[in-house]
Amino acid sequence: MKFKIVFIVCVLFSQLINAQELVSPNGNLKMVFSVQNGGVPVYELSYKGKMVIKPSKLGFELRGQQETVEFGSEMDMKNQVKDPKSSLYDNFSVAKTQTSTFDETWQTVWGEEKEIRNHYNELAVTLAQSGTKRQMLIRFRLFNDGLGFRYEFPEQDRDLVYFVIKEERTQFAMTGNHTAWWIPGDYDTQEYDYTKSRLSEIRQLQSDAITDNLSQTSFSPTGVQTSLQMKTDEDIYINLHEAALINYACMHLNLDDKNMIFESWLTPDAMGAKGYMQVPCTSPWRTIIVSDDARNILASRITLNLNEPCKIEDTSWIKPTKYVGVWWEMISGKNDWSYTWDFPAIQLGITDYTKAKPHGKHGATTANVKRYIDFAAAHGLDGVLVEGWNIGWEDWFGNSKDYVFDFVTPYPDFNLNEIRDYAKNKDVKMIMHHETSASVRNYERHIDAAYQFMVDNGYPAVKSGYVGDIIPRGENHYSQWLVNHYQYAIEKAAEYKIMVNAHEAVRPTGICRTWPNLISNESARGSEYQAFGGSKPNHTTVLPFTRLIGGPMDYTPGLFENNISKYNPNNSSWVNTTLVNQLSLYVTMSSPLQMAADLPETYERFMDAFQFIKDVALDWDKSVYIEAEPGEYVTVARKAKGVNNWFVGSTNGEVGRNVNISFDFLEKGKNYIATIYADNKDAHYKTNPQAYNIRKVVVTNKSKLTQYTAPGGGMAISLMEADNTQIKGLKKL
């Protein structure tokens, strides 16, 4: 009996002898790293003494000499034939450890705060693999609100110089059957509604969660995408994502739903490989944000802090932009991107559009674009986006066509020079549109000429698109090769002083800190789906916890007309929000690029409500998260950059509720005129969405407000500092 006890103690000692602890600056989070039996690297994470990530394995499986294994067995390393050339997940020992602490405050070019504190404790563990001369360093950074870690491969002997990743084996072992807000894992699209379920229910709900898209590739019945938001039964919020996705494949998560363990699942390329690496190199950061207060998830800046500082020396040309555009009329089906129906196929440089009969539904005409420019100028908006201005839209999609657009040749009814001069005289900036039809090779072929064309004609920003299956054929939207393309486009745009708003690209991972000309992305289910059958009424109460963790979204809010059939009798879609909910999104879904997406003639019917869109800021000194619960509600107050004005937005889910706001974030001793945009008591996203009221009151930092928000509704408030003469006659709150 004594022998057994001694043996057990020895085993435990051998497992813990290499254990390293790392504690967050405030002491709430503790990470423990160890090398377990067999030399397997393992980490675990606790929050306020409660385990949130159980012991989870780390490492890689490389492409070695063994044959490809069947799907399903890839999750089980124990049952595979071991190939020493393929294993970077075992036979490790700790060669060196180094700890440090870091604390700085850095200035943003734009964002939710003027300044961000970057404060963490770090542990760097160098691992040596027995039987080879290979080394792998795992760097952990523990912040007050979460953990970031990545793999680093330093220069070393010939045993590890070039290598191909078969699987990244990073695990996130959950402590229970948590509630999750998720979208299906997919190599080609993120444009899904979110599903709320227990982790154990993902498998049975997966097929219904996969709705139609123009390009989609699912990979597993338990695969989900990051950023993944979860909540434990003990009311602890856990968010899994990645930061600084550079020269690497986008990470999904695959769930072992028997053991509740997520494992990283990288997007493969056309050959099935998940990464081609050359030492020295690093992986992106894997992030785990943790709090017992949902507001802290939204306030976390881990994703930005794990990216490198800004690499653009002069950022004066990067300007937050509020815009309208020739877009919604095509999305709704009122008009079209194409010019003619005469040609079944287009060949650029050969097809003669001067001989074509216009079909009369082209949206990007000179006269129509001028109308949008006039509207923008009249209401102080910065820019106008025009889609469908360039030749090639007649057969742009679904034909696996390489040379689909040239990005410089306009249709006959789009007078480029006239529009350029007209916009300049009105002090309105034009926003370029580059739809690639996912022909990435073609875009790179033309990108310098396209960007120079923008510079020559006064277009400071581009909206790029990647609709459809990728060319080169067989590639996926989120593989390493495509990630490198998106980065190439951003850096190339910076050379030309162009801001980028990429649609259908890989989801953002905080790279906008390093390259702030990446002013926005789509990379999720945006407002356009309100014209494609509608999105769930609570969709925008989930996005701040998921998609927006990585960076701002060009969600294109401001849809005031719910009934799409009023624009297109053949489209019975319905916008599943109230009008006031649309106003709230300009604050709750912060972005330095915001569209007023509806038609000018619709806004002219609701100019009192449109005033909020005109007033709301795009860039902020400070953000205060007043209340939040994923899938239910988000209420945020933000101070406009450089002035003492605030804006409040509250976005509500499917159940009507009261919002309670204390204005204690306001400056003491100051009066503010609060213009409150609110749902009527009888408002409802489906039955009465345009029922709203607007009132003005005076508030101070001692004021409090209780305000009803309807199902699918919201609230928006502008708070303008005022003197005694300006507040005369107004009621105090």
Side-chain angles (χ1 to χ4, degrees), residues 40-301:
V40 177
V42 170
Y43 77 101
E44 59 188 74
L45 183 66
S46 60
Y47 174 72
K48 293 183 178 180
K50 294 181 179 179
M51 188 77 72
V52 290
I53 302 292
K54 297 193 299 184
S56 301
K57 297 177 182 179
L58 299 165
F60 292 84
E61 182 182 353
L62 308 185
R63 275 198 171 174
Q65 303 301 315
Q66 64 191 71
E67 297 293 324
T68 302
V69 297
E70 292 293 323
F71 174 81
S73 64
E74 292 173 315
M75 292 286 289
D76 185 3
M77 291 185 288
K78 293 184 296 183
N79 294 333
Q80 291 187 34
V81 177
K82 297 210 172 175
D83 179 351
K85 292 184 179 180
S86 69
S87 169
L88 268 179
Y89 53 73
D90 63 0
N91 292 322
F92 283 109
S93 61
V94 175
K96 178 183 175 182
T97 64
Q98 185 174 357
T99 59
S100 61
T101 188
F102 187 81
D103 193 3
E104 70 166 0
T105 299
W106 55 278
Q107 299 262 334
T108 62
V109 175
W110 47 259
E112 296 175 79
E113 286 101 15
K114 181 180 179 180
E115 296 180 336
I116 292 177
R117 188 180 184 189
N118 186 12
H119 187 199
Y120 59 80
N121 292 329
E122 180 176 284
L123 169 66
V125 182
T126 301
L127 300 172
Q129 190 176 45
S130 63
T132 73
K133 296 181 180 180
R134 299 188 297 196
Q135 287 192 339
M136 179 173 70
L137 187 151
I138 306 178
R139 190 178 303 275
F140 299 92
R141 290 181 180 172
L142 196 54
F143 302 79
N144 288 336
D145 48 352
L147 174 68
F149 62 90
R150 74 178 181 187
Y151 303 92
E152 300 180 9
F153 301 94
E155 288 189 11
Q156 51 198 282
D157 289 337
R158 293 180 180 273
D159 273 24
L160 195 68
V161 180
Y162 292 93
F163 61 96
V164 180
I165 298 172
K166 182 184 178 190
E167 298 292 346
E168 182 188 317
R169 294 296 187 181
T170 304
Q171 292 184 345
F172 305 87
M174 299 295 102
T175 59
N177 188 17
H178 304 331
T179 298
W181 291 263
W182 57 275
I183 55 175
D186 197 297
Y187 298 151
D188 285 297
T189 186
Q190 299 136 80
E191 297 178 355
Y192 292 120
D193 256 321
Y194 282 88
T195 298
K196 175 186 177 183
S197 77
R198 293 284 188 171
L199 297 179
S200 62
E201 297 172 320
I202 291 175
R203 183 182 296 273
Q204 68 191 64
L205 297 173
Q206 181 82 219
S207 60
D208 288 338
I210 300 173
T211 50
D212 290 341
N213 194 274
L214 297 179
S215 180
Q216 55 192 149
T217 309
S218 58
F219 60 84
S220 166
T222 56
V224 297
Q225 301 195 43
T226 70
S227 169
L228 175 67
Q229 181 61 49
M230 292 174 285
K231 183 179 180 181
T232 73
D233 290 341
E234 293 77 32
D235 294 333
I236 295 176
Y237 299 86
I238 304 170
N239 186 283
L240 305 181
H241 194 33
E242 62 181 327
L245 175 57
I246 300 287
N247 191 24
Y248 202 86
C250 173
M251 180 182 73
H252 299 73
L253 299 170
N254 200 36
L255 178 65
D256 171 357
D257 49 4
K258 293 181 180 178
N259 299 299
M260 297 304 164
I261 298 174
F262 284 108
E263 186 168 276
S264 58
W265 189 283
L266 304 183
T267 305
D269 68 3
M271 302 297 292
K274 297 193 173 182
Y276 297 84
M277 312 297 287
Q278 178 184 349
V279 172
C281 57
T282 69
S283 75
W285 296 89
R286 279 62 188 99
T287 61
I288 308 168
I289 306 172
V290 184
S291 182
D292 50 13
D293 188 334
R295 296 175 298 176
N296 293 336
I297 304 296
L298 304 183
S300 175
R301 301 293 175 252

Side-chain angles (χ1 to χ4, degrees), residues 344-346 392 394-402 404 437 471 473:
I346 303 298
E394 285 73 17
D395 66 345
W396 73 284
F397 174 76
N399 298 304
S400 194
K401 186 176 180 181
D402 184 13
V404 57
S437 188
I471 298 176
R473 297 170 185 91

